mmCIF file of all heavy atoms in Angstrom:
data_model
loop_
_atom_site.group_PDB
_atom_site.id
_atom_site.type_symbol
_atom_site.label_atom_id
_atom_site.label_comp_id
_atom_site.label_asym_id
_atom_site.label_seq_id
_atom_site.Cartn_x
_atom_site.Cartn_y
_atom_site.Cartn_z
ATOM 1 N N ALA E 1355 -103.820 64.237 148.242
ATOM 2 C CA ALA E 1355 -104.622 65.339 148.770
ATOM 3 C C ALA E 1355 -105.760 64.818 149.637
ATOM 4 O O ALA E 1355 -105.964 65.284 150.770
ATOM 5 C CB ALA E 1355 -105.161 66.184 147.623
ATOM 6 N N LYS E 1356 -106.490 63.837 149.128
ATOM 7 C CA LYS E 1356 -107.651 63.320 149.874
ATOM 8 C C LYS E 1356 -107.245 62.641 151.177
ATOM 9 O O LYS E 1356 -108.035 62.585 152.115
ATOM 10 C CB LYS E 1356 -108.450 62.368 148.990
ATOM 11 C CG LYS E 1356 -109.213 63.100 147.892
ATOM 12 C CD LYS E 1356 -109.884 62.139 146.937
ATOM 13 C CE LYS E 1356 -110.536 62.905 145.795
ATOM 14 N NZ LYS E 1356 -111.063 62.029 144.742
ATOM 15 N N ALA E 1357 -106.026 62.135 151.223
ATOM 16 C CA ALA E 1357 -105.539 61.483 152.456
ATOM 17 C C ALA E 1357 -105.018 62.492 153.467
ATOM 18 O O ALA E 1357 -104.729 62.134 154.608
ATOM 19 C CB ALA E 1357 -104.434 60.494 152.097
ATOM 20 N N SER E 1358 -104.904 63.761 153.063
ATOM 21 C CA SER E 1358 -104.362 64.788 153.951
ATOM 22 C C SER E 1358 -105.460 65.409 154.805
ATOM 23 O O SER E 1358 -106.523 65.785 154.296
ATOM 24 C CB SER E 1358 -103.692 65.885 153.112
ATOM 25 O OG SER E 1358 -103.361 66.995 153.910
ATOM 26 N N LYS E 1359 -105.196 65.547 156.103
ATOM 27 C CA LYS E 1359 -106.187 66.159 156.994
ATOM 28 C C LYS E 1359 -106.386 67.638 156.699
ATOM 29 O O LYS E 1359 -107.388 68.231 157.091
ATOM 30 C CB LYS E 1359 -105.790 65.953 158.451
ATOM 31 C CG LYS E 1359 -104.459 66.574 158.841
ATOM 32 C CD LYS E 1359 -104.145 66.336 160.302
ATOM 33 C CE LYS E 1359 -102.779 66.829 160.712
ATOM 34 N NZ LYS E 1359 -102.460 68.183 160.321
ATOM 35 N N ASP E 1360 -105.441 68.258 155.998
ATOM 36 C CA ASP E 1360 -105.528 69.683 155.688
ATOM 37 C C ASP E 1360 -106.276 69.978 154.390
ATOM 38 O O ASP E 1360 -106.497 71.140 154.062
ATOM 39 C CB ASP E 1360 -104.118 70.284 155.547
ATOM 40 C CG ASP E 1360 -103.310 70.118 156.822
ATOM 41 O OD1 ASP E 1360 -103.911 70.187 157.911
ATOM 42 O OD2 ASP E 1360 -102.093 69.901 156.727
ATOM 43 N N TYR E 1361 -106.662 68.940 153.647
ATOM 44 C CA TYR E 1361 -107.265 69.148 152.332
ATOM 45 C C TYR E 1361 -108.767 69.372 152.439
ATOM 46 O O TYR E 1361 -109.490 68.575 153.042
ATOM 47 C CB TYR E 1361 -106.996 67.941 151.440
ATOM 48 C CG TYR E 1361 -107.616 68.067 150.073
ATOM 49 C CD1 TYR E 1361 -107.127 68.990 149.147
ATOM 50 C CD2 TYR E 1361 -108.693 67.266 149.700
ATOM 51 C CE1 TYR E 1361 -107.687 69.107 147.891
ATOM 52 C CE2 TYR E 1361 -109.259 67.378 148.442
ATOM 53 C CZ TYR E 1361 -108.756 68.289 147.543
ATOM 54 O OH TYR E 1361 -109.323 68.409 146.299
ATOM 55 N N ASP E 1362 -109.234 70.477 151.836
ATOM 56 C CA ASP E 1362 -110.661 70.782 151.748
ATOM 57 C C ASP E 1362 -110.986 70.921 150.270
ATOM 58 O O ASP E 1362 -110.541 71.868 149.622
ATOM 59 C CB ASP E 1362 -110.970 72.086 152.487
ATOM 60 C CG ASP E 1362 -112.425 72.515 152.355
ATOM 61 O OD1 ASP E 1362 -113.201 71.819 151.669
ATOM 62 O OD2 ASP E 1362 -112.783 73.561 152.930
ATOM 63 N N PRO E 1363 -111.739 69.973 149.684
ATOM 64 C CA PRO E 1363 -112.006 70.047 148.246
ATOM 65 C C PRO E 1363 -112.721 71.324 147.825
ATOM 66 O O PRO E 1363 -112.591 71.752 146.678
ATOM 67 C CB PRO E 1363 -112.865 68.808 147.975
ATOM 68 C CG PRO E 1363 -113.336 68.334 149.299
ATOM 69 C CD PRO E 1363 -112.344 68.798 150.316
ATOM 70 N N ALA E 1364 -113.437 71.953 148.753
ATOM 71 C CA ALA E 1364 -114.122 73.203 148.422
ATOM 72 C C ALA E 1364 -113.152 74.379 148.355
ATOM 73 O O ALA E 1364 -113.490 75.441 147.841
ATOM 74 C CB ALA E 1364 -115.214 73.489 149.452
ATOM 75 N N ARG E 1365 -111.942 74.193 148.892
ATOM 76 C CA ARG E 1365 -110.912 75.238 148.858
ATOM 77 C C ARG E 1365 -109.571 74.595 148.490
ATOM 78 O O ARG E 1365 -108.557 74.783 149.163
ATOM 79 C CB ARG E 1365 -110.835 75.960 150.196
ATOM 80 C CG ARG E 1365 -112.169 76.573 150.634
ATOM 81 C CD ARG E 1365 -112.068 77.325 151.935
ATOM 82 N NE ARG E 1365 -111.327 78.558 151.783
ATOM 83 C CZ ARG E 1365 -111.825 79.689 151.289
ATOM 84 N NH1 ARG E 1365 -113.075 79.735 150.863
ATOM 85 N NH2 ARG E 1365 -111.090 80.773 151.207
ATOM 86 N N PHE E 1366 -109.586 73.837 147.384
ATOM 87 C CA PHE E 1366 -108.416 73.050 146.985
ATOM 88 C C PHE E 1366 -107.175 73.903 146.767
ATOM 89 O O PHE E 1366 -106.055 73.440 146.912
ATOM 90 C CB PHE E 1366 -108.722 72.238 145.711
ATOM 91 C CG PHE E 1366 -108.972 73.083 144.490
ATOM 92 C CD1 PHE E 1366 -107.923 73.517 143.702
ATOM 93 C CD2 PHE E 1366 -110.259 73.447 144.133
ATOM 94 C CE1 PHE E 1366 -108.146 74.304 142.574
ATOM 95 C CE2 PHE E 1366 -110.498 74.232 143.016
ATOM 96 C CZ PHE E 1366 -109.442 74.665 142.232
ATOM 97 N N TRP E 1367 -107.378 75.167 146.420
ATOM 98 C CA TRP E 1367 -106.252 76.051 146.128
ATOM 99 C C TRP E 1367 -105.419 76.396 147.357
ATOM 100 O O TRP E 1367 -104.324 76.930 147.242
ATOM 101 C CB TRP E 1367 -106.756 77.330 145.464
ATOM 102 C CG TRP E 1367 -107.825 78.045 146.242
ATOM 103 C CD1 TRP E 1367 -107.640 78.994 147.215
ATOM 104 C CD2 TRP E 1367 -109.238 77.863 146.128
ATOM 105 N NE1 TRP E 1367 -108.846 79.411 147.721
ATOM 106 C CE2 TRP E 1367 -109.859 78.730 147.054
ATOM 107 C CE3 TRP E 1367 -110.047 77.052 145.328
ATOM 108 C CZ2 TRP E 1367 -111.247 78.806 147.207
ATOM 109 C CZ3 TRP E 1367 -111.428 77.136 145.479
ATOM 110 C CH2 TRP E 1367 -112.000 78.002 146.403
ATOM 111 N N GLN E 1368 -105.920 76.088 148.550
ATOM 112 C CA GLN E 1368 -105.183 76.391 149.778
ATOM 113 C C GLN E 1368 -104.332 75.221 150.270
ATOM 114 O O GLN E 1368 -103.520 75.396 151.176
ATOM 115 C CB GLN E 1368 -106.157 76.809 150.879
ATOM 116 C CG GLN E 1368 -106.866 78.115 150.582
ATOM 117 C CD GLN E 1368 -107.806 78.531 151.697
ATOM 118 O OE1 GLN E 1368 -108.283 77.699 152.470
ATOM 119 N NE2 GLN E 1368 -108.062 79.826 151.791
ATOM 120 N N TRP E 1369 -104.490 74.041 149.644
ATOM 121 C CA TRP E 1369 -103.788 72.847 150.128
ATOM 122 C C TRP E 1369 -102.344 72.829 149.645
ATOM 123 O O TRP E 1369 -102.057 73.091 148.476
ATOM 124 C CB TRP E 1369 -104.502 71.586 149.657
ATOM 125 C CG TRP E 1369 -103.783 70.343 150.073
ATOM 126 C CD1 TRP E 1369 -103.699 69.820 151.334
ATOM 127 C CD2 TRP E 1369 -103.028 69.475 149.225
ATOM 128 N NE1 TRP E 1369 -102.936 68.676 151.327
ATOM 129 C CE2 TRP E 1369 -102.510 68.437 150.031
ATOM 130 C CE3 TRP E 1369 -102.727 69.476 147.862
ATOM 131 C CZ2 TRP E 1369 -101.721 67.415 149.534
ATOM 132 C CZ3 TRP E 1369 -101.934 68.458 147.353
ATOM 133 C CH2 TRP E 1369 -101.446 67.439 148.184
ATOM 134 N N ARG E 1370 -101.421 72.513 150.565
ATOM 135 C CA ARG E 1370 -100.002 72.368 150.249
ATOM 136 C C ARG E 1370 -99.587 70.911 150.416
ATOM 137 O O ARG E 1370 -99.745 70.355 151.504
ATOM 138 C CB ARG E 1370 -99.138 73.188 151.205
ATOM 139 C CG ARG E 1370 -99.270 74.672 151.095
ATOM 140 C CD ARG E 1370 -98.296 75.376 152.071
ATOM 141 N NE ARG E 1370 -98.516 76.801 152.042
ATOM 142 C CZ ARG E 1370 -99.312 77.446 152.888
ATOM 143 N NH1 ARG E 1370 -99.957 76.779 153.838
ATOM 144 N NH2 ARG E 1370 -99.460 78.754 152.786
ATOM 145 N N PRO E 1371 -99.019 70.300 149.374
ATOM 146 C CA PRO E 1371 -98.410 68.987 149.599
ATOM 147 C C PRO E 1371 -97.209 69.162 150.526
ATOM 148 O O PRO E 1371 -96.612 70.247 150.571
ATOM 149 C CB PRO E 1371 -97.980 68.544 148.201
ATOM 150 C CG PRO E 1371 -97.882 69.794 147.405
ATOM 151 C CD PRO E 1371 -98.842 70.774 147.999
ATOM 152 N N GLU E 1372 -96.859 68.126 151.245
ATOM 153 C CA GLU E 1372 -95.734 68.212 152.180
ATOM 154 C C GLU E 1372 -94.481 68.717 151.459
ATOM 155 O O GLU E 1372 -94.075 68.182 150.429
ATOM 156 C CB GLU E 1372 -95.464 66.837 152.789
ATOM 157 C CG GLU E 1372 -94.377 66.843 153.840
ATOM 158 C CD GLU E 1372 -94.119 65.448 154.392
ATOM 159 O OE1 GLU E 1372 -95.032 64.611 154.368
ATOM 160 O OE2 GLU E 1372 -92.971 65.202 154.835
ATOM 161 N N GLY E 1373 -93.883 69.781 152.016
ATOM 162 C CA GLY E 1373 -92.670 70.351 151.436
ATOM 163 C C GLY E 1373 -92.909 71.219 150.218
ATOM 164 O O GLY E 1373 -91.955 71.653 149.565
ATOM 165 N N GLY E 1374 -94.182 71.506 149.885
ATOM 166 C CA GLY E 1374 -94.481 72.249 148.664
ATOM 167 C C GLY E 1374 -95.323 73.498 148.888
ATOM 168 O O GLY E 1374 -95.470 73.979 150.011
ATOM 169 N N GLU E 1375 -95.874 73.995 147.793
ATOM 170 C CA GLU E 1375 -96.668 75.222 147.804
ATOM 171 C C GLU E 1375 -98.127 74.921 147.467
ATOM 172 O O GLU E 1375 -98.420 73.973 146.733
ATOM 173 C CB GLU E 1375 -96.174 76.189 146.720
ATOM 174 C CG GLU E 1375 -94.783 76.744 146.900
ATOM 175 C CD GLU E 1375 -94.409 77.636 145.731
ATOM 176 O OE1 GLU E 1375 -94.258 77.110 144.602
ATOM 177 O OE2 GLU E 1375 -94.269 78.852 145.936
ATOM 178 N N SER E 1376 -99.003 75.774 147.942
ATOM 179 C CA SER E 1376 -100.399 75.742 147.502
ATOM 180 C C SER E 1376 -100.538 76.567 146.217
ATOM 181 O O SER E 1376 -99.650 77.349 145.872
ATOM 182 C CB SER E 1376 -101.310 76.332 148.580
ATOM 183 O OG SER E 1376 -101.067 77.737 148.700
ATOM 184 N N HIS E 1377 -101.668 76.403 145.534
ATOM 185 C CA HIS E 1377 -101.956 77.266 144.384
ATOM 186 C C HIS E 1377 -101.981 78.736 144.827
ATOM 187 O O HIS E 1377 -101.544 79.622 144.093
ATOM 188 C CB HIS E 1377 -103.306 76.911 143.762
ATOM 189 C CG HIS E 1377 -103.287 75.662 142.941
ATOM 190 N ND1 HIS E 1377 -102.589 75.552 141.767
ATOM 191 C CD2 HIS E 1377 -103.903 74.466 143.118
ATOM 192 C CE1 HIS E 1377 -102.771 74.349 141.251
ATOM 193 N NE2 HIS E 1377 -103.554 73.669 142.060
ATOM 194 N N GLU E 1378 -102.498 78.957 146.023
ATOM 195 C CA GLU E 1378 -102.589 80.324 146.543
ATOM 196 C C GLU E 1378 -101.201 80.930 146.755
ATOM 197 O O GLU E 1378 -100.977 82.109 146.464
ATOM 198 C CB GLU E 1378 -103.382 80.307 147.851
ATOM 199 C CG GLU E 1378 -103.977 81.636 148.241
ATOM 200 C CD GLU E 1378 -104.986 81.465 149.357
ATOM 201 O OE1 GLU E 1378 -104.605 80.933 150.430
ATOM 202 O OE2 GLU E 1378 -106.140 81.854 149.163
ATOM 203 N N ASP E 1379 -100.255 80.134 147.249
ATOM 204 C CA ASP E 1379 -98.871 80.604 147.401
ATOM 205 C C ASP E 1379 -98.307 81.055 146.056
ATOM 206 O O ASP E 1379 -97.642 82.088 145.952
ATOM 207 C CB ASP E 1379 -97.969 79.486 147.958
ATOM 208 C CG ASP E 1379 -98.314 79.064 149.370
ATOM 209 O OD1 ASP E 1379 -98.831 79.897 150.134
ATOM 210 O OD2 ASP E 1379 -98.071 77.882 149.702
ATOM 211 N N VAL E 1380 -98.547 80.228 145.036
ATOM 212 C CA VAL E 1380 -98.047 80.542 143.695
ATOM 213 C C VAL E 1380 -98.714 81.816 143.174
ATOM 214 O O VAL E 1380 -98.054 82.677 142.585
ATOM 215 C CB VAL E 1380 -98.297 79.362 142.724
ATOM 216 C CG1 VAL E 1380 -97.844 79.716 141.310
ATOM 217 C CG2 VAL E 1380 -97.590 78.110 143.211
ATOM 218 N N GLN E 1381 -100.004 81.942 143.420
ATOM 219 C CA GLN E 1381 -100.727 83.124 142.963
ATOM 220 C C GLN E 1381 -100.131 84.401 143.555
ATOM 221 O O GLN E 1381 -99.944 85.396 142.838
ATOM 222 C CB GLN E 1381 -102.201 83.019 143.342
ATOM 223 C CG GLN E 1381 -103.049 84.158 142.806
ATOM 224 C CD GLN E 1381 -104.495 84.008 143.219
ATOM 225 O OE1 GLN E 1381 -104.841 84.259 144.382
ATOM 226 N NE2 GLN E 1381 -105.338 83.585 142.291
ATOM 227 N N ILE E 1382 -99.807 84.381 144.821
ATOM 228 C CA ILE E 1382 -99.260 85.572 145.483
ATOM 229 C C ILE E 1382 -97.964 86.015 144.810
ATOM 230 O O ILE E 1382 -97.781 87.193 144.499
ATOM 231 C CB ILE E 1382 -99.056 85.303 146.986
ATOM 232 C CG1 ILE E 1382 -100.411 85.201 147.687
ATOM 233 C CG2 ILE E 1382 -98.189 86.388 147.622
ATOM 234 C CD1 ILE E 1382 -100.353 84.630 149.089
ATOM 235 N N ARG E 1383 -97.054 85.063 144.530
ATOM 236 C CA ARG E 1383 -95.792 85.473 143.915
ATOM 237 C C ARG E 1383 -95.951 85.822 142.439
ATOM 238 O O ARG E 1383 -95.253 86.707 141.916
ATOM 239 C CB ARG E 1383 -94.699 84.434 144.152
ATOM 240 C CG ARG E 1383 -94.953 83.047 143.621
ATOM 241 C CD ARG E 1383 -93.721 82.168 143.885
ATOM 242 N NE ARG E 1383 -93.932 80.763 143.667
ATOM 243 C CZ ARG E 1383 -93.990 80.161 142.489
ATOM 244 N NH1 ARG E 1383 -93.885 80.884 141.370
ATOM 245 N NH2 ARG E 1383 -94.167 78.849 142.389
ATOM 246 N N MET E 1384 -96.874 85.145 141.739
ATOM 247 C CA MET E 1384 -97.126 85.488 140.329
ATOM 248 C C MET E 1384 -97.700 86.899 140.198
ATOM 249 O O MET E 1384 -97.274 87.681 139.344
ATOM 250 C CB MET E 1384 -98.106 84.487 139.705
ATOM 251 C CG MET E 1384 -97.465 83.211 139.227
ATOM 252 S SD MET E 1384 -96.359 83.420 137.799
ATOM 253 C CE MET E 1384 -97.520 83.753 136.486
ATOM 254 N N VAL E 1385 -98.668 87.213 141.026
ATOM 255 C CA VAL E 1385 -99.273 88.553 140.976
ATOM 256 C C VAL E 1385 -98.213 89.608 141.255
ATOM 257 O O VAL E 1385 -98.118 90.614 140.557
ATOM 258 C CB VAL E 1385 -100.457 88.658 141.966
ATOM 259 C CG1 VAL E 1385 -100.917 90.106 142.112
ATOM 260 C CG2 VAL E 1385 -101.612 87.781 141.509
ATOM 261 N N SER E 1386 -97.391 89.372 142.265
ATOM 262 C CA SER E 1386 -96.339 90.325 142.608
ATOM 263 C C SER E 1386 -95.372 90.516 141.447
ATOM 264 O O SER E 1386 -95.012 91.651 141.087
ATOM 265 C CB SER E 1386 -95.588 89.835 143.848
ATOM 266 O OG SER E 1386 -94.516 90.686 144.152
ATOM 267 N N ALA E 1387 -94.947 89.415 140.809
ATOM 268 C CA ALA E 1387 -93.984 89.506 139.708
ATOM 269 C C ALA E 1387 -94.568 90.253 138.516
ATOM 270 O O ALA E 1387 -93.913 91.128 137.926
ATOM 271 C CB ALA E 1387 -93.549 88.101 139.285
#
Side-chain angles (χ1 to χ4, degrees):
K1356 288 174 185 173
S1358 170
K1359 61 179 175 50
D1360 301 325
Y1361 179 70
D1362 176 359
R1365 303 182 71 80
F1366 65 86
W1367 54 89
Q1368 294 181 336
W1369 177 72
R1370 293 183 185 94
E1372 184 181 334
E1375 294 178 293
S1376 68
H1377 284 293
E1378 201 167 58
D1379 294 331
V1380 177
Q1381 185 180 75
I1382 290 167
R1383 60 177 168 77
M1384 277 292 289
V1385 169
S1386 176

